[in-house]
């Protein structure tokens, strides 16, 4: 076994791989283990060609950060959308959100601190090392990070972490939300996947060392990663696609849907040296001087981090920042391992054909440097530039999943033995089906809340306003402003009623569809989800237009600041 067994709730759990009667992998663990094997084979081969005979095998190590929200249990239980969907389907913004950054940089609230303490203890009992815990940017948002380990161990640990987080929250009268976007208008939650490649001799192939230009294993691994991410950007985008993550990607808080790489100034200079043959002068690392006598100067990290990049080099690893908070890290890391193995296989073939290592590296970088972008990934200018470079921009899950029909992707994953074509075909349909079912549950929940809770409440309030207008008229008062308010409210209620009817019709049509599964997913996205969003806009306006005592459920103000 590659993962330890563990005892939880007085039950022995044994990590298990699942396969069908005819041998296909049914789980996420088996393809992950396959990807580890194929990357090990190709990486060791490259190192042999570079003269290293000591390394016997390599492993990928991963440290995933886990973001989440905590809300009060009693408030949670009054929101059907949180119960059924894990996110709020309606909700006007609170007067204060994350503008002041006071939650991010603030102290832990006592209930949250007690929760985190118990969470650490439960993790340690299971042998899961976790040492980082803090507030995140949005109100009620927090983060925990487990210590790096081999990727298959990391995956098991993170699965356990997500379950334990939710269990411990209940003991503290809280609910833990792992959805990528529980609340509109504030940051969503990701799971930054910090990925590196380590030899059995302790060498990190992503560590530039003191002299990166002379570090051939590092240069080889970097060049192969650049090629891999460019060749298979569509697969990487697919690996983090979900209905939940669609709300987060590109929303000025998370990486854009366009996959690109950030390397930083030092590695940019190194690549320029490789491509142009110009020697760059090596400068010593800059130092911070605080101007405080009791604080010594210290080295500045020369690989600054671009927080808008989906795939950023951060010193001795790459941080895949687009992974969603509720996702398993198995899928993204399976793809990362596989595409790097493919690039390494191609590099080895080129070197064995007689080309020099330096020429192959130069060819790789020149052919694939379009994937490198060090600017603002959130900007409209980058979207235009990415289109000029020919980079894919799949803005939603339905579009992202189309790459599982691309021959280049099927051939590569099948050739490397990571997924068979049958296994990829099944995953294509399953992922589309998951998307459809998610939107269906959300659509039905939104409709239920609108019809049974919100519409009756706003009609009651409109009746009250109408009575006030009549009473004011009878008293001889100026009622123009009251009439205007009542008319505006009535117009919103009428729009809401029409949108509810349209949403109900669209859901029924999508449910009855006998189209191919991809076309069904398109209908749920374009007809149902789009109408849900339109209904939400109207409902959120109504929430801000009526007295709080008439609103039938906890608001964002209650949920985000209720602990």
């Amino acid at each position: 076994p590659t993962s330890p067994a563990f005892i939880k709730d007085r039950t022995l759990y044994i990590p298990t791989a699942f396969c069908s009667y005819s041998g296909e992998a049914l789980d996420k663990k088996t393809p992950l283990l396959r990807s580890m094997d194929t990357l090990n084979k190709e990486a060791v081969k490259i190192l042999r060609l570079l003269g290293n005979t000591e390394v016997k095998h390599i492993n990928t190590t991963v440290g995933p950060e886990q973001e989440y929200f905590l809300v009060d249990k009693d408030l949670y239980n009054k929101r059907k959308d949180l119960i059924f969907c894990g996110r709020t389907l309606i909700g006007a913004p609170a007067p204060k959100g994350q503008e002041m950054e006071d939650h991010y940089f603030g102290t832990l609230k006592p209930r949250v601190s007690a929760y985190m303490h118990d969470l650490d203890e439960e993790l340690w009992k299971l042998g899961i090392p976790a040492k980082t815990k803090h507030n995140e940017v949005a109100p009620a948002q927090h983060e925990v990070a487990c210590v790096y380990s081999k990727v298959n161990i990391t995956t098991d640990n993170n699965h356990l972490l997500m379950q334990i987080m939710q269990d411990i929250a209940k003991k503290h009268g809280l609910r833990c939300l792992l959805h990528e976007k529980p609340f509109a208008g504030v940051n969503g939650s990701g799971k930054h996947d910090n990925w590196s490649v380590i030899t059995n001799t302790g060498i990190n192939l992503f560590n530039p060392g003191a002299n990166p230009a002379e570090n051939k294993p590092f240069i080889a691994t970097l060049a192969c990663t650049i090629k891999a991410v460019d060749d298979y950007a569509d697969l990487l985008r697919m690996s983090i696609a979900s209905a939940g993550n669609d709300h987060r990607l590109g929303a000025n808080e998370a990486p854009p849907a366009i996959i690109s790489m950030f390397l930083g100034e030092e590695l940019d200079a190194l690549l320029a040296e490789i491509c142009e043959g110009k020697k760059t002068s090596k400068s010593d690392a800059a130092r911070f001087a605080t101007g405080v006598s009791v604080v010594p100067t210290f080295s500045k990290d020369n690989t600054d981090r671009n927080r808008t990049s989906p795939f950023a080099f951060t010193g001795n690893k790459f941080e895949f920042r687009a992974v969603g908070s509720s996702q398993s890290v198995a899928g993204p890391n399976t793809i990362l391992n596989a595409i790097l193995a493919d690039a390494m296989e191609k590099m080895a073939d080129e070197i064995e054909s007689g080309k020099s290592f330096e020429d192959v590296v130069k060819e790789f970088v020149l052919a694939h440097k379009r994937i490198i972008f060090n600017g603002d990934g959130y900007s409209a200018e980058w979207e235009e530039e990415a289109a000029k470079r020919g980079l894919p921009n799949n803005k939603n899950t339905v579009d992202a999943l189309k790459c599982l029909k691309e021959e280049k992707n099927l051939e590569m994953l099948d050739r490397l033995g990571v997924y068979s074509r049958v296994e990829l075909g099944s995953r294509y349909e399953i992922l589309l089906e998951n998307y459809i079912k998610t939107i269906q549950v959300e659509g039905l929940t939104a409709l239920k809340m609108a019809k049974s809770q919100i519409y009756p409440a706003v009609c009651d309030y409109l009746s009250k306003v109408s009575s006030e207008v009549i009473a004011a008229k009878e008293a001889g008062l100026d009622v123009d402003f009251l009439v205007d308010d009542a008319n505006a409210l009535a117009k919103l209620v009428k729009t809401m009623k029409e949108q509810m009817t349209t949403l109900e019709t669209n859901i029924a049509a999508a449910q009855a569809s006998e189209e191919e599964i991809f076309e069904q997913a398109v209908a749920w996205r374009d007809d149902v989800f789009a109408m849900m969003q339109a209904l939400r806009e109207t409902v959120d306006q109504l929430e801000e237009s009526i007295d709080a005592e008439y609103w039938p459920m906890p608001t964002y103000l209650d949920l985000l600041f209720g602990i």
Side-chain angles (χ1 to χ4, degrees), residues 250-298:
N252 290 336
E253 52 160 299
I258 304 165
I259 299 295
S260 65
M261 297 175 69
F262 166 81
L263 298 181
E265 292 180 4
E266 183 180 25
L267 294 190
D268 278 347
L270 173 62
L271 294 184
E273 182 177 318
I274 290 171
C275 295
E276 300 167 16
K278 298 177 182 177
K279 288 291 181 182
T280 55
S281 57
K282 186 179 186 304
S283 58
D284 294 330
R287 297 187 69 80
F288 282 111
T290 64
V292 179
S293 60
V294 295
V295 180
T297 65
F298 53 93

Side-chain angles (χ1 to χ4, degrees), residues 404-405 410 420-430:
L404 289 178
K405 291 292 187 179
L410 298 175
S420 71
R421 289 174 180 263
V422 171
E423 289 166 349
L424 288 169
S426 72
R427 280 154 179 77
Y428 171 76
E429 294 201 4
I430 289 166

Side-chain angles (χ1 to χ4, degrees), residues 60-133:
T60 46
T61 65
V62 170
E65 307 163 31
Q66 179 70 60
E67 296 175 344
Y68 61 96
F69 281 80
L70 292 176
V71 297
D72 183 83
K73 169 184 68 84
D74 293 334
L75 299 174
Y76 171 95
N77 287 336
K78 295 175 182 177
R79 296 278 312 211
K80 289 184 173 63
D81 45 7
L82 288 180
I83 293 171
F84 294 123
C85 309
R87 75 176 183 98
T88 54
L89 302 177
I90 58 171
K96 179 180 179 297
Q98 60 195 50
E99 297 84 359
M100 305 300 292
E101 307 283 358
D102 50 339
H103 176 74
Y104 196 19
F105 295 104
T107 58
L108 297 175
K109 294 179 179 178
R111 286 178 74 184
V112 174
S113 180
Y115 163 80
M116 289 180 170
H117 176 79
D118 286 357
L119 175 62
D120 276 346
E121 288 202 342
E122 289 304 312
L123 292 174
W124 297 337
K125 288 177 185 177
L126 292 168
I128 300 175
K131 63 180 184 181
T132 303
K133 54 188 180 185

Side-chain angles (χ1 to χ4, degrees), residues 45 48 100 110 115-116 142 199 217 238 244 251 257 278 312 336 373 376 423 447 480 508 519 531 557:
K45 186 175 182 181
R48 290 285 184 274
M100 305 300 292
Y115 163 80
M116 289 180 170
H142 311 280
T199 71
M238 177 280 303
K278 298 177 182 177
L336 283 171
F373 177 66
D376 181 2
E423 289 166 349
L447 189 61
D480 288 348
E519 297 304 324
M531 184 48 60
L557 182 62

